[in-house]
Amino acid sequence: MPTPSHLKNPLYFDFRAARRVPESHAWPGLHEHPVVDGGGAPGTPDAVPVVDLRESGAAAAAGVARAAELWGAFLLTGHGVPAELLARVEDRIARMFALPAADKMRAVRGPGDACGYGSPPISSFFSKCMWSEGYTFSPASLRADLRKLWPKAGDDYASFCDVMEEFHKEMRVLAGKLLELFLRALGLTDEEVAAVEEERRIGETMTATMHLNWYPRCPDPRRALGLIAHTDSGFFTFVLQSLVPGLQLFRHAPDRWVAVPAVPGAFVVNVGDLFQILTNGRFHSVYHRAVVNRDLDRISLGYFLGPPPHAKVAPLREAVPPGRTPAYRAVTWPEYMGVRKKAFTTGASALKMVAAAAAESDDADVHQPLVLSS
Ligand SMILES: C=C1C[C@]23C[C@@]1(O)CC[C@H]2[C@@]12CCC[C@@](C)(C(=O)O1)[C@H]2[C@@H]3C(=O)O
Ligand SMILES: O=C(O)CCC(=O)C(=O)O
Ligand SMILES: [Fe+2]
């Protein structure tokens, strides 16, 4: 019998059939640091901070400031995105990942493509494979992309697109609100927040990318890794994790992984590298990873916000202390990804690579947080 074409694809690995974790998927050094529970009582040292958007603006801004300075992440509750929409989103994602391998392989991300099926871009820097599959798409223009997964369109295609568009509409509004709250958390008044937006149009021009993750249950979860430790590169990310926990945040002194509790209906918000740059290092990006589970599949969704590709991101004038020079030079998102690629191959820190050069950049470049030139 001829081998089905998708089985010849080197990207294809049949997680369901695996009875053990092969060497190709076994990661060394996974247990170098202890894992602690992040679901303790609020205020205890390892409890992941929670920001409730139903709180007063000032209280929420203070919570965001604390969390973004100390953790680079927090759980977001009271955000107003309906729980029933989140349930439909998760249901549609699960159905998508349950498509036959041949269908998923048809939508594989090509080299250099931003969107498509398969391991996320970061996987190309590692020789080991992750215990997951992913799908990346732009929610603002998903219908054409999604035809690769559902060439004949049909009900599942239509429902997936409808639900993701509805979700994107809600999330884009929430992202705008959260950006304002982050700026308030930096100490800007409402008027200053409005003036920054008037001048720089950060909220208006922010773009969204969605990346869906499927972490199949794994016969030997201590040897495998769902998603390699990384920082998100953009401004900030909303992560929706199913009720199966797996996301861990790295914290120093003492070095440890903090397991994020699965709070129904909550998003995890991660600060990304470009937001660390925008806030002149006041808010820092968070190093995080996803682990897998022996008995249960896990699904997560990342809704990534960042600048449009041609916009230069440099520290906000308001975030640089008087008399000091900005800590980072201006970069576009694609330029930063190039720096990060170099950093991965040399073992350096991408943020450090754009930091030291700040003093050498010309002033106009450094002080314009977003220069939109088309
Ligand atoms: C907008 C994006 C952020 C991301 C690269 C991408 O173009 C789409 C996928 C995102 C993701 C998800 C998994 C981890 C990550 C590091 C990766 O390889 O792909 C992030 C990227 C990122 O934040 O840089
Ligand atoms: O699966 C998760 O919880 C984390 C996902 C993530 O970090 C990402 O997609 O960038
Ligand atoms: Fe991430």
Side-chain angles (χ1 to χ4, degrees):
M1 204 167 75
T3 313
S5 63
H6 67 272
L7 292 180
K8 291 187 206 141
N9 190 317
L11 294 173
Y12 180 74
F13 180 79
D14 189 354
F15 289 104
R16 283 284 183 252
R19 294 288 162 264
R20 55 181 199 86
V21 171
E23 273 312 307
S24 55
H25 289 67
W27 290 74
L30 289 184
H31 308 290
E32 204 176 317
H33 305 295
V35 176
V36 300
D37 176 22
T44 54
D46 287 322
V48 178
V50 180
V51 173
D52 187 337
L53 283 189
R54 287 163 299 198
E55 284 185 71
S56 79
V64 166
R66 260 193 318 271
E69 281 169 4
L70 295 175
W71 286 70
F74 51 89
L75 281 156
L76 186 71
T77 57
H79 47 67
V81 181
E84 72 65 39
L85 172 58
L86 299 182
R88 278 188 287 133
V89 165
E90 283 192 18
D91 175 55
R92 286 292 147 189
I93 296 174
R95 286 171 194 249
M96 186 276 286
F97 282 122
L99 283 171
D103 294 359
K104 295 189 285 189
M105 288 303 111
R106 218 183 5 245
V108 159
R109 179 204 310 271
D113 286 355
C115 299
Y117 201 87
S119 290
I122 198 175
S123 58
S124 64
F125 301 113
F126 299 89
S127 55
K128 295 289 181 180
C129 303
M130 299 188 263
W131 201 266
S132 58
E133 292 181 9
Y135 184 65
T136 311
F137 62 97
S138 161
S141 58
L142 78 181
R143 289 193 182 254
D145 262 4
L146 266 295
R147 289 298 288 271
K148 288 195 196 128
L149 276 172
W150 285 282
K152 295 191 190 123
D155 291 349
D156 281 348
Y157 163 82
S159 298
F160 185 94
C161 294
D162 289 349
V163 170
M164 293 306 159
E165 280 176 350
E166 192 179 337
F167 178 71
H168 171 51
K169 221 164 143 190
E170 294 272 349
M171 294 306 289
R172 196 59 193 73
V173 174
L174 180 61
K177 283 191 196 151
L178 190 62
L179 175 68
E180 282 185 27
L181 192 58
F182 270 123
L183 295 178
R184 290 293 319 266
L186 276 177
L188 276 67
T189 61
D190 284 344
E191 293 70 33
E192 288 168 331
V193 170
V196 165
E197 183 58 20
E198 178 68 30
E199 185 189 347
R200 290 143 191 185
R201 309 262 173 228
I202 302 173
E204 187 187 313
T205 60
M206 253 184 344
T207 64
T209 306
M210 278 171 73
H211 179 80
L212 315 177
N213 297 294
W214 174 51
Y215 306 99
R217 56 184 176 267
C218 174
D220 193 354
R222 283 185 63 81
R223 255 162 71 87
L225 185 60
L227 186 55
I228 181 73
H230 64 280
T231 53
D232 295 340
S233 59
F235 281 159
F236 52 91
T237 311
F238 293 96
V239 178
L240 181 65
Q241 55 171 349
S242 60
L243 287 182
V244 181
L247 176 60
Q248 298 180 344
L249 311 175
F250 190 71
R251 302 222 61 210
H252 286 293
D255 289 354
R256 63 212 189 273
W257 289 104
V258 178
V260 180
V263 176
F267 291 112
V268 182
V269 174
N270 292 335
V271 172
D273 291 347
L274 291 182
F275 216 58
Q276 178 162 335
I277 294 174
L278 189 77
T279 62
N280 201 43
R282 271 270 310 273
F283 299 160
H284 71 84
S285 58
V286 63
Y287 198 53
H288 57 284
R289 69 178 186 179
V291 297
V292 291
N293 190 284
R294 184 185 299 280
D295 306 307
L296 299 167
D297 284 13
R298 173 170 184 265
I299 278 171
S300 74
L301 172 165
Y303 186 89
F304 296 81
L305 279 311
H310 56 278
K312 288 266 190 194
V313 180
L316 284 166
R317 202 180 291 123
E318 294 78 359
V320 180
R324 302 285 291 273
T325 53
Y328 299 98
R329 70 176 169 88
V331 278
T332 64
W333 199 352
E335 274 165 14
Y336 182 72
M337 293 306 257
V339 172
R340 203 160 86 148
K341 186 172 175 186
K342 214 176 284 170
F344 265 120
T345 48
T346 59
S349 148
L351 279 168
K352 282 197 181 135
M353 287 167 75
V354 294
E360 290 156 28
S361 294
D362 66 61
D363 276 349
D365 220 20
V366 163
H367 283 292
Q368 284 299 319
L370 282 171
V371 182
L372 298 176
S373 51
S374 40

